[in-house]
Amino acid sequence: MLEALGVPAELSARVPAEQRGPGLGRDDVRLMVSRGAEVSHHAFRELPGQLRAGDVLVVNTSPTLPAAVTGRLGTEGGREPVVVHVSTCGEDGRWAVELRTPDGRGSTRPRPGGPPGTVVRLPGGAGLVLTEPLVPGAARLWWARVDTPVPALLARYGRPIRYGYTERDQPLSAYQTVFALPSPDGAGSAEMPSAGRPFTARMVTELVSRGVQFAPLTLHTGVASAEAYEPPYPERYAVPAATARLVNAARAGGGRAIAVGTTAVRALESAADDGGVARAAAGWTDLVVTPARGVRVVDGLLTGLHEPRASHLLMLEAIAGRPALHRAYTEAVRELYLWHEFGDVHLLLPAEEPH
C-alpha cells in the first residue's frame, strides 16, 4: 500500500536539526502523533504532553560506532578504493562487513560482495579477508576475518557511516543519543538508534518530573540496507531484569510501554513470553516483528519516518494497523516532514478509549 506513496528527495534530512539555523537544538524537530487513525502535528518539545504519568519509555543505550573505514582491495599493489562498513562481531570472532564503493562526494554506493578470499588492506597495516556471506545466497553482508582488534581500529581510523542523502560528514557526537553508554568490550551500533536522537537531558528531566519512567535495554544495530530494504539480520541484545520488571509493573498499573525506536521493539519483544510478560534475556535475536506475529509487550512506538519499501514498516503496521499507518504517512508527505536519521519523528499510540 505504501509503495505507491512517493517520498520526494527534498524531504530527506540532509543535516542534523541543530545545524539548520542559529539557536536550534537537536530537539528542534517535528512530532507527528497517531492515535489509531487520528493524526496530530506537534513540535518534539511537546512530547511530555502526549504521554501520561505511569508510561514507561524503553530506550536503547547502544552507542554508535565510527563504523566506516577506507581500505583498498587486494594485496600489496592493490589500487581500488573501498569503504568497509563494519556491522557485527560474531561469536567466533569474525566480523560481518559490507564493502561499498566511494562515490567521490564523501558517501558511498553499493557494490557486489565477495568472492570468498577477497582481501582488503586497511589503515595501519591491518588486513581483512572475506570468508562467506552472512546469509547464504545474499551478497551484501559477508563474514570477514580481521587481523587486528576491530574496536581499536575503528576508534583510530573510523568515521560514522554516511549515506548519499546527507550533505556532509558529521562528527561522531552527532550520531550519539543522550542514552548511549560505552560498552566494556567496545561493542556498539553500526548505525545510530536514531529515534532517541531528539532527546536532550532537559527533556528527560521534564518527562521524569511528570511521572514518565525510562527503562534501558541494549540492541547493537548492524548495517542497514539503504537500497535493498532487506529484513533485519540477527543482532545482539540484552534486556536487564530491572527493565523487564519496570515494564511489567507499568503495564499492570495501566501505563503503556512505549519503545523509543524499532531497535527497542525488537529487543523487548524478543524478551517477551507468549503471555505478554517481559523477562530478562540476552544473546542474539533474529525476531522480525510482522502484523502476523503482532506485538506482545509494546503498546506504542516513537520512531523516525521509514522509506515506503522498508521492512521496518511491517513492525509499524503490527503496532498501529495498516489503515492508520497509511493515513499517517500520507499526512507526513503532505505536511513536508523530514525523513531519515536526522529527520522528524512519529509517535504511534493506541486509539483513545471513549470515556
Side-chain angles (χ1 to χ4, degrees):
M1 181 187 293
L2 287 176
E3 287 83 350
L5 183 66
V7 180
E10 59 267 24
L11 295 187
S12 294
R14 302 194 180 280
V15 296
E18 60 271 24
Q19 296 178 17
R20 293 180 199 142
L24 297 180
R26 58 168 59 201
D27 56 351
D28 282 298
V29 297
R30 299 168 71 190
L31 170 68
M32 180 170 62
V33 180
S34 295
R35 288 183 172 85
E38 297 298 319
V39 178
S40 57
H41 305 284
H42 309 267
F44 180 75
R45 290 175 182 174
E46 298 176 61
L47 176 65
Q50 305 302 313
L51 303 177
R52 303 192 300 239
D55 287 341
V56 58
L57 291 175
V58 183
V59 299
N60 187 359
T61 63
S62 178
T64 307
L65 300 177
V69 63
T70 299
R72 290 190 176 274
L73 280 181
T75 55
E76 291 297 329
R79 295 181 178 275
E80 182 185 342
V82 292
V83 175
V84 181
H85 287 179
V86 177
S87 185
T88 304
C89 184
E91 296 294 338
D92 61 0
R94 293 184 299 173
W95 286 79
V97 302
E98 178 187 21
L99 302 189
R100 310 264 301 185
T101 298
D103 64 3
R105 300 186 302 274
S107 55
T108 60
R109 58 179 179 266
R111 69 178 301 282
T118 295
V119 175
V120 179
R121 291 183 294 120
L122 299 172
L128 172 158
V129 181
L130 300 184
T131 58
E132 61 182 331
L134 185 67
V135 174
R140 187 175 67 87
L141 287 172
W142 283 69
W143 286 115
R145 296 202 177 277
V146 187
D147 62 8
T148 194
V150 170
L153 176 77
L154 296 181
R156 183 168 183 181
Y157 299 107
R159 61 190 181 277
I161 288 174
R162 177 189 158 200
Y163 291 113
Y165 51 76
T166 56
E167 185 175 292
R168 56 182 176 267
D169 287 346
Q170 298 290 340
L172 184 60
S173 59
Y175 291 87
Q176 302 294 7
T177 74
V178 72
F179 307 113
L181 294 172
S183 300
D185 61 355
S189 288
E191 297 182 358
M192 171 176 55
S194 56
R197 189 183 193 279
F199 284 86
T200 62
R202 180 175 179 175
M203 169 69 79
V204 171
T205 301
E206 181 178 354
L207 286 164
V208 170
S209 73
R210 287 173 174 246
V212 176
Q213 302 178 86
F214 286 83
L217 50 71
T218 302
L219 185 138
H220 297 311
T221 66
V223 176
S225 170
E227 296 85 17
Y229 307 109
E230 300 161 344
Y233 291 102
E235 294 168 316
R236 286 173 55 197
Y237 80 106
V239 176
T243 287
R245 288 195 300 268
L246 187 57
V247 166
N248 293 333
R251 299 184 80 223
R256 299 169 295 187
I258 300 169
V260 177
T262 57
T263 61
V265 176
R266 194 181 201 197
L268 191 58
E269 288 292 320
S270 296
D273 65 21
D274 292 342
V277 176
R279 53 185 174 77
W284 291 80
T285 177
D286 59 1
L287 176 66
V288 178
V289 177
T290 65
R293 190 264 188 193
V295 288
R296 297 167 182 169
V297 178
V298 171
D299 302 301
L301 170 63
L302 180 74
T303 184
L305 292 159
H306 303 277
E307 292 285 355
R309 291 183 293 146
S311 60
H312 286 313
L313 288 175
L314 291 174
M315 178 187 290
L316 272 61
E317 187 179 325
I319 294 170
R322 179 173 290 188
L325 192 60
H326 189 270
R327 167 79 185 277
Y329 270 64
T330 301
E331 290 244 346
V333 172
R334 189 186 70 191
E335 297 293 329
L336 304 181
Y337 276 70
L338 295 179
W339 257 250
H340 302 304
E341 66 267 29
F342 297 136
D344 298 317
V345 287
H346 181 196
L347 178 62
L348 298 93
L349 294 172
E352 292 287 350
E353 297 285 340
H355 295 290

